[in-house]
Amino acid sequence: MKVAENQKNTNQRGQAIVLGGSLGGLMVARALSNHYERVTIIEKDQVERQPCSRKGQPQTRHLHGLLPGGLNVMLHYFPDLKDALAANGALLANFAQDMIWYTHGGYRKRFEMDLTAAAMSRPLLEHLIRERVLALPNVELMDNTSVKNLISTPDQQQITGVNIQLTELGKVMDLHADLVVDVTGRGSRTPKWLEELGFEAPSVSEVKVNVAYATRMYKRDPLDPRSTNWMLYTPMAPEEMRFGGMFPVEGDRWMLTVGGWHGDHVGCDEAAFNEFVRQLPMPEFYDIISNSEPLSEIIPYKYSHSLRRHYEKLKKFPLGFLVMGDAVCSFNPVYGQGMTSASMQAIELDKLLGKNIPEQHLAHRFFKEAAKVVDIPWQLAVGEDFRYSATTGPKPAGIGVINKYVTRVHRATLKDPVVCDAFLRVMSLLKAPTSLFHPKIFWRVMWAG
Ligand SMILES: Cc1cc2nc3c(=O)[nH]c(=O)nc-3n(C[C@H](O)[C@H](O)[C@H](O)COP(=O)(O)OP(=O)(O)OC[C@H]3O[C@@H](n4cnc5c(N)ncnc54)[C@H](O)[C@@H]3O)c2cc1C
């Protein structure tokens, strides 16, 4: 098992504590291991040393697409991850050639692209990353341990540790640290903790999307020529409100997730689920499930609104404390951005710590960098969501005009591999959305779209 060597910092710091041991927490722990003598991850669930979902991360039972932007960060930290994924039955394939993607009344162009994507279950990905993070000599995991509160200096200006409870023993104790990072996900208690310490809580942007998912596993026939393809259907909004994704995952299984926006929800009894799949404009899904053995129950998930906490706008923040991952921004999951955003935030923190920023400026600088990471996926996701009139919340300026152009981009991706290439790089979070307005792309979009 290979982990990129810790780039030891000459100003090695003492103890860091990461709250939450899901994917975001693991990536942050990896980044912090370059700069702290000891990194302790606190996770309230029991964590098995094998791929499995836990109570604290119910979303991991649903389809998780890893964008090439996120895979790149993971490969930076774990150079053998691709090999480990392949050895464990994940599918590594060409992002444009191997994806069958139906949208706007046709299939996006397929062509060889220099981007690899990985299809696997989320528990497998997380397990492989966790094994690599815990193999580091200076990282440890305390599972079955719940964070109850922050500990601060008497003047409440600096966080000096956390108060934890060991679930099985019921024992409560304090752990001290030079840096505490909250990666406890969307339900993070940091806003409340800040107010209790006399700081302001961050302002919040909420975009209501009322999305529901349902997921089921099926046996995959490796002889089916489609068995090494990802399949995606995304709607031509606002006329269509449903989506579907079917990925080949380890163990010769298909993972199918379908769902819809704004109440166009999938039923979770077998007949309603199958009928929903049958009605999707992309026939491959129904064709495959009609001929494949189901391997799981149908698992539902409801997601009411995307949520962004604007820590970057706070004037004051306690020393020795940061917040990351879904605790900062939880995106409408349909766009598959959360793991990539969390990984990109982790590498930004790594870079900042490498610059030895004075401690009193760290939070401010980090939240500015994290906001830059979050801005683009947030704009992409929210922009698409506002195609539906039922979507409510802070609407980005000029989104109507931008969406008209993006509709043409979508249509052009069905015909023109150059436009499709440019689009896939933007949605992978590798290129800025402005690249779609470059004259080389713009005129092709106008012509084809
Ligand atoms: C339905 C759904 C589908 C998704 N699909 C995709 C996808 O396709 N692609 C993608 O990139 N992203 C996807 N995401 C987002 C992705 O799951 C998250 O972005 C990712 O898990 C990183 O989140 P996180 O680690 O910040 O928080 P979480 O994954 O929410 O983890 C928080 C962790 O903190 C722990 N915790 C909470 N409270 C405490 C406490 N008091 N003490 C100790 N531990 C605590 C929890 O047990 C949990 O392990 C999806 C999300 C949902 C909801």
Side-chain angles (χ1 to χ4, degrees), residues 72-211:
N72 282 355
V73 177
M74 291 173 189
L75 290 173
H76 166 78
Y77 285 126
F78 315 110
D80 72 339
L81 183 67
K82 255 190 204 174
D83 295 341
L85 282 166
N88 282 276
L91 179 85
L92 290 146
N94 192 277
F95 194 49
Q97 184 62 46
D98 298 315
M99 186 151 46
I100 303 179
W101 187 340
Y102 188 93
T103 191
H104 289 73
Y107 291 91
R108 286 203 211 277
K109 267 275 175 238
R110 291 171 64 187
F111 55 97
E112 279 297 325
M113 198 182 180
D114 59 351
L115 286 184
T116 302
M120 68 265 120
S121 72
R122 160 68 191 262
L124 175 63
L125 175 67
E126 185 166 319
H127 167 71
L128 295 176
I129 288 183
R130 185 171 50 242
E131 291 304 295
R132 279 154 181 74
V133 172
L134 297 185
L136 292 164
N138 59 341
V139 179
E140 64 178 354
L141 168 70
M142 286 179 77
D143 61 352
N144 277 316
T145 305
S146 197
V147 180
K148 294 286 162 203
N149 225 325
L150 299 176
I151 305 170
S152 66
T153 47
D155 65 2
Q156 303 192 324
Q157 297 304 301
Q158 177 157 7
I159 302 308
T160 56
V162 284
N163 178 252
I164 56 171
Q165 181 165 31
L166 311 183
T167 317
E168 278 170 357
L169 306 172
K171 194 176 159 193
V172 175
M173 58 193 274
D174 289 347
L175 278 187
H176 292 279
D178 303 287
L179 178 70
V180 173
V181 187
D182 176 6
V183 206
T184 54
R186 188 181 164 104
S188 152
R189 280 147 66 197
T190 291
K192 183 173 152 275
W193 286 335
L194 287 176
E195 284 177 338
E196 285 168 3
L197 289 167
F199 290 84
E200 253 181 62
S203 57
V204 174
S205 296
E206 282 185 12
V207 174
K208 296 230 166 21
V209 290
N210 187 13
V211 161

Side-chain angles (χ1 to χ4, degrees), residues 20 22 24 43-44 54 59 64-65 122 147 301 326 333 336 338-339:
S22 183
E43 169 53 53
K44 70 176 174 173
R54 303 184 270 104
Q59 79 273 23
H64 265 66
R122 160 68 191 262
V147 180
Y301 195 98
D326 278 23
M339 299 190 294

Side-chain angles (χ1 to χ4, degrees), residues 9-22:
N9 194 306
T10 41
N11 281 354
Q12 189 95 13
R13 300 156 174 96
Q15 168 81 55
I17 292 182
V18 174
L19 315 182
S22 183

Side-chain angles (χ1 to χ4, degrees), residues 239-368:
E239 296 87 345
E240 301 168 350
M241 298 178 86
R242 298 180 174 185
F243 64 88
M246 193 167 198
F247 286 9
V249 299
E250 70 279 3
D252 287 334
R253 295 172 298 165
W254 285 113
M255 186 181 235
L256 171 65
T257 291
V258 294
W261 275 257
H262 295 302
D264 193 359
H265 290 172
V266 44
C268 284
D269 64 86
E270 176 134 2
F273 181 82
N274 288 350
E275 181 53 20
F276 190 97
V277 177
R278 195 186 65 76
Q279 286 176 11
L280 293 175
M282 187 168 164
E284 286 84 347
F285 298 129
Y286 189 69
D287 182 44
I288 291 175
I289 68 162
S290 314
N291 296 297
S292 307
E293 181 193 336
L295 297 177
S296 75
E297 71 218 277
I298 298 164
I299 304 156
Y301 195 98
K302 289 225 161 122
Y303 187 92
S304 64
H305 59 277
S306 303
L307 173 84
R308 183 170 179 185
R309 299 189 174 107
H310 295 279
Y311 286 103
E312 76 281 5
K313 293 189 180 161
L314 290 177
K315 295 258 177 314
K316 279 183 69 205
F317 200 78
L319 288 178
F321 186 46
L322 296 173
V323 193
M324 294 179 65
D326 278 23
V328 170
C329 188
S330 150
F331 305 91
N332 178 351
V334 172
Y335 307 104
Q337 301 163 321
M339 299 190 294
T340 296
S341 165
S343 303
M344 288 177 158
Q345 290 172 44
I347 207 165
E348 289 306 327
L349 177 59
D350 193 349
K351 285 188 213 156
L352 277 181
L353 290 169
K355 289 182 188 158
N356 292 320
I357 307 260
E359 211 192 327
Q360 64 272 27
H361 301 314
L362 181 65
H364 183 68
R365 287 285 301 274
F366 171 70
F367 289 132
K368 290 267 177 257

